[in-house]
Amino acid sequence: MQLTHEENQFERKTFPITLVCDHIYFQQNIGSLFRISEAFGVENIIFLGKDIPLTPRKINKTSRSTHLHVPHIVIEETTDLVDYLLQNNFEIIALEIASNSKPLKEVVIPKNQKIALLLGSEIDGISDELLKISNQIVHINMFGKNSSMNVVQAASIALYEITSL
C-alpha cells in the first residue's frame, strides 16, 4: 500500500549544499528545482540573474509549495556571486560537460565543507566565469546521441550521487 507524506519513514536531513542556478529562467524548471532541493535536503538555493520569475503560478504548481520551505536568495551580478562563494569557502562543483570535466561518480566531497553545486542555464549552461572558480567540474555520462539533459533531471542525478556519498 502506498504511504502518505506523513507516513513515510525517510530520515529528515539537511545537507550543507547550496544549489546555484546560473541564469535559470524557465518557471517550470525553477519550481521543480525547489521540489527536488527539498526532497534531497538542500540547505538553500541561489538564483543568479536579474528578473528571476519567482512568484508566478507555474512555480507554485511545479514546486508543490516547497518554494515556501527551501531558503533562497537572488544575486543579480556574477561578480557578487563569485565573491560570496569564495569568501564563504565553498567547495564549488560545476555540473557541466567541459574539456576538463570528469564523470560525476568521481566527484570528491571534502568532509565538513559547504558545497555549492552550480547548474547552468537552459540555453547557455554555466558561464566561463563560474567554471573558472570551480574546484571540480563534473558531468553525467550519457550513452545516446544527445549530449545534454534537462537541468532538473541533471540536478536530481547529481544530488542523489552527492547525498549518497
Side-chain angles (χ1 to χ4, degrees):
M1 174 184 280
Q2 183 180 27
L3 298 177
T4 67
H5 291 292
E6 292 77 27
E7 294 171 328
N8 78 56
Q9 301 297 311
F10 296 123
E11 176 186 1
R12 304 289 187 247
K13 191 172 183 180
T14 302
F15 292 88
I17 299 171
T18 295
L19 211 59
V20 179
C21 303
D22 183 5
H23 292 88
I24 294 175
Y25 287 101
F26 294 0
Q27 295 169 9
Q28 293 89 338
N29 286 341
I30 291 170
S32 294
L33 286 168
F34 275 112
R35 189 170 178 185
I36 202 67
S37 293
E38 198 277 335
F40 278 106
V42 167
E43 199 167 65
N44 61 16
I45 303 174
I46 297 174
F47 293 97
L48 172 63
K50 293 183 176 140
D51 302 320
I52 305 291
L54 293 177
T55 54
R57 229 182 75 229
K58 288 180 185 176
I59 289 175
N60 188 43
K61 189 173 184 178
T62 56
S63 78
R64 303 226 12 200
S65 298
T66 56
H67 67 290
L68 302 172
H69 308 291
V70 178
H72 58 279
I73 61 170
V74 174
I75 297 178
E76 292 188 356
E77 300 296 331
T78 302
T79 53
D80 294 335
L81 173 65
V82 168
D83 290 344
Y84 175 82
L85 295 175
L86 295 176
Q87 289 172 5
N88 287 283
N89 198 33
F90 280 91
E91 175 73 10
I92 303 168
I93 302 171
L95 184 59
E96 185 68 87
I97 298 171
S99 59
N100 59 337
S101 62
K102 62 185 180 183
L104 176 61
K105 289 206 172 282
E106 296 176 18
V107 70
V108 176
I109 305 299
K111 289 210 182 287
N112 302 319
Q113 187 152 2
K114 297 178 290 189
I115 297 165
L117 179 61
L118 306 184
L119 305 173
S121 79
E122 298 92 347
I123 307 300
D124 299 317
I126 298 173
S127 71
D128 286 338
E129 192 171 356
L130 292 179
L131 288 175
K132 286 177 187 169
I133 65 160
S134 296
N135 303 102
Q136 302 178 65
I137 302 174
V138 297
H139 63 262
I140 297 166
N141 287 341
M142 292 181 278
F143 305 102
K145 290 182 182 180
N146 187 15
S147 65
S148 68
M149 63 178 65
N150 174 273
V151 65
V152 178
Q153 295 166 340
S156 301
I157 293 167
L159 288 170
Y160 178 82
E161 189 73 26
I162 290 169
T163 58
S164 296
L165 297 174

